[in-house]
Amino acid sequence: MSELRTLGEFIVEKQHDFPHASGELSSLLASIRLAAKIVNREINKAGLVDITGSTGVDNVQGEEQQKLDAFANEKFKAALEARDQVCGVCSEEEDEAIVFSKELNRNAKYVVLMDPLDGSSNIDVNVSVGTIFTIYRRVSPVGSPPTQEDFLQPGNKQVAAGYVVYGSSTMLVYTTGNGVNGFTYDPSIGTFCLSHENMTIPKDGKIYSINEGNYIRFPQGVKKYIKYCQENVPEDNRPYTSRYIGSLVADFHRNLLKGGVYLYPSTQSHPQGKLRLLYECNPMAFLIEQAGGQATDGKTRILDLKPTELHQRVPLFIGSTNMMNTVHEFLEKYPDSDY
Ligand code: AHM
Ligand code: MG
């Protein structure tokens, strides 16, 4: 971080890339930034529960400590509602889309879809977790409540998307369709500072990320690809390295920086895989393409899938272009119905 540029300054600077930009998107991104800081603070206190019996200080009297994922959901919703730029939100934490009822919100032109705290199995064990978000322009008329159609837009209509990784340091990475930029949180000044300008994923990599415990249930093409990754071919940098955190945001972030491929395929028991199209796969697919990589469900570009349900799941293959090409060769050679 040679020259100190804050996320706030960067957002305003980039606003000029959009003709007729009115600042609404900038204000929306600012509300995400604020919620991220609050969630970051809470995550960093989480370990204190065992020492003090509660994460303490700002706990409302008598109220039971909330689970962190529910807490993150509330904070992001509140921040988004308060800035009046969003008419509704779809969250992994809620069955139905949330419609903001204030008139100012009804007049807003954006909807946000999010996974407020992804990687839930890692929350209690001090391993990186993340927030994933995406922003769409509504298709229903401004002034009315948002409809399902606003939330079920294909990923290629995203206006902006990003994630926050709460890791050894906290970072916010986002795109508005003009490249990907990353900001590291400096807790001493309470500010996200530009640390990774114009991020691109290496075309080649040697990391593959998959929950190999499910191997027996994977389609043939995926099994064969895993064996290919493990072959001893030094001139091709194989065997590759296996890295799997179990937090999509953290696995994605590492592969983005180092080059690699992340796979969450269909399995015999879960033919649609596990990850959610609207607020996990689409934002990550937008980011990876902006960074020069690829994302598909094994056949189709993630961003071209037409969503049918809010919490729809799809298989996800995402990462470095040359590695993705090899994944596809294997998937084509061994049809995916063949487990
Ligand atoms: P979650 O939204 O319940 O946290 O689940 C999503 C997470 C991803 O972050 C992660 O990549 C994946 O689930 C791990 O799943 P598995 O434990 O099956 O490997
Ligand atoms: Mg999730």
Side-chain angles (χ1 to χ4, degrees):
M1 280 184 241
S2 51
E3 184 196 356
L4 205 61
R5 274 165 95 195
T6 70
L7 174 59
E9 284 161 355
F10 190 86
I11 291 170
V12 171
E13 210 176 286
K14 293 295 164 189
Q15 189 178 311
H16 305 306
D17 290 353
F18 296 93
H20 318 301
S22 58
E24 287 156 284
L25 182 62
S26 302
S27 164
L28 202 173
L29 289 167
S31 52
I32 289 174
R33 178 186 60 180
L34 173 64
K37 288 184 192 177
I38 297 171
V39 170
N40 176 60
R41 183 190 64 199
E42 211 60 23
I43 286 175
N44 281 313
K45 286 194 304 198
L48 290 172
V49 182
D50 289 340
I51 304 170
T52 63
S54 93
T55 58
V57 267
D58 52 14
N59 228 359
V60 191
Q61 334 63 317
E63 251 185 36
E64 223 183 285
Q65 188 59 43
Q66 261 183 322
K67 294 276 294 171
L68 270 175
D69 41 9
F71 176 88
N73 187 45
E74 293 309 321
K75 293 300 167 193
F76 273 93
K77 271 193 315 185
L80 291 168
E81 187 171 19
R83 297 281 173 105
D84 304 330
Q85 315 302 351
V86 176
C87 57
V89 169
C90 165
S91 164
E92 175 165 340
E93 291 292 317
E94 318 240 359
D95 292 342
E96 305 291 335
I98 303 130
V99 172
F100 293 147
S101 54
K102 272 191 327 199
E103 194 184 339
L104 279 170
N105 292 104
R106 273 209 310 275
N107 289 331
K109 61 176 184 231
Y110 293 110
V111 292
V112 171
L113 296 88
M114 63 176 182
D115 184 352
L117 208 56
D118 183 62
S120 35
S121 64
N122 283 327
I123 295 173
D124 296 333
V125 290
N126 213 350
V127 173
S128 299
V129 290
T131 296
I132 311 174
F133 63 89
T134 175
I135 303 168
Y136 289 82
R137 211 163 274 120
R138 68 190 296 178
V139 288
S140 61
V142 166
S144 59
T147 63
Q148 286 283 101
E149 254 198 301
D150 296 320
F151 296 102
L152 296 181
Q153 299 186 60
N156 55 35
K157 297 275 191 237
Q158 288 171 99
V159 172
Y163 60 82
V164 185
V165 56
Y166 310 95
S168 45
S169 59
T170 292
M171 273 191 75
L172 190 152
V173 174
Y174 83 104
T175 182
T176 53
N178 284 310
V180 180
N181 291 284
F183 301 81
T184 303
Y185 186 62
D186 181 341
S188 67
I189 54 171
T191 303
F192 283 99
C193 299
L194 182 61
S195 53
H196 296 66
E197 194 166 6
N198 208 3
M199 299 169 84
T200 53
I201 182 167
K203 292 257 169 291
D204 288 296
K206 46 182 186 175
I207 297 173
Y208 71 103
S209 312
I210 184 166
N211 185 344
E212 242 170 294
N214 291 328
Y215 183 87
I216 201 74
R217 301 178 182 152
F218 289 149
Q220 279 301 326
V222 174
K223 285 183 182 156
K224 299 278 186 192
Y225 179 71
I226 292 173
K227 289 297 165 208
Y228 164 89
C229 294
Q230 296 170 343
E231 270 167 18
N232 188 21
V233 188
E235 61 276 20
D236 191 29
N237 280 320
R238 282 183 284 148
Y240 293 158
T241 292
S242 164
R243 288 284 182 274
Y244 191 73
I245 296 169
S247 285
L248 173 63
V249 171
D251 280 308
F252 178 97
H253 185 68
R254 182 205 51 243
N255 290 357
L256 172 61
L257 294 176
K258 296 196 162 184
V261 70
Y262 173 98
L263 307 93
Y264 210 110
S266 66
T267 65
Q268 224 162 0
S269 49
H270 296 90
Q272 296 312 315
K274 175 182 184 189
L275 301 177
R276 316 293 184 138
L277 173 59
L278 294 190
Y279 42 78
E280 292 178 328
C281 302
N282 269 336
M284 293 315 208
F286 189 20
L287 286 159
I288 207 81
E289 288 199 4
Q290 284 294 316
Q294 287 182 23
T296 72
D297 67 354
K299 293 195 179 96
T300 308
R301 182 179 173 230
I302 291 287
L303 297 182
D304 289 338
L305 295 172
K306 175 78 191 94
T308 51
E309 285 169 43
L310 289 184
H311 300 289
Q312 184 175 344
R313 297 174 197 267
V314 287
L316 178 66
F317 301 85
I318 189 164
S320 294
T321 298
N322 292 343
M323 295 182 88
M324 284 290 292
N325 289 341
T326 307
V327 170
H328 285 135
E329 281 168 26
F330 278 93
L331 296 179
E332 275 157 32
K333 194 159 168 203
Y334 303 94
D336 66 1
S337 53
D338 185 9
Y339 285 95

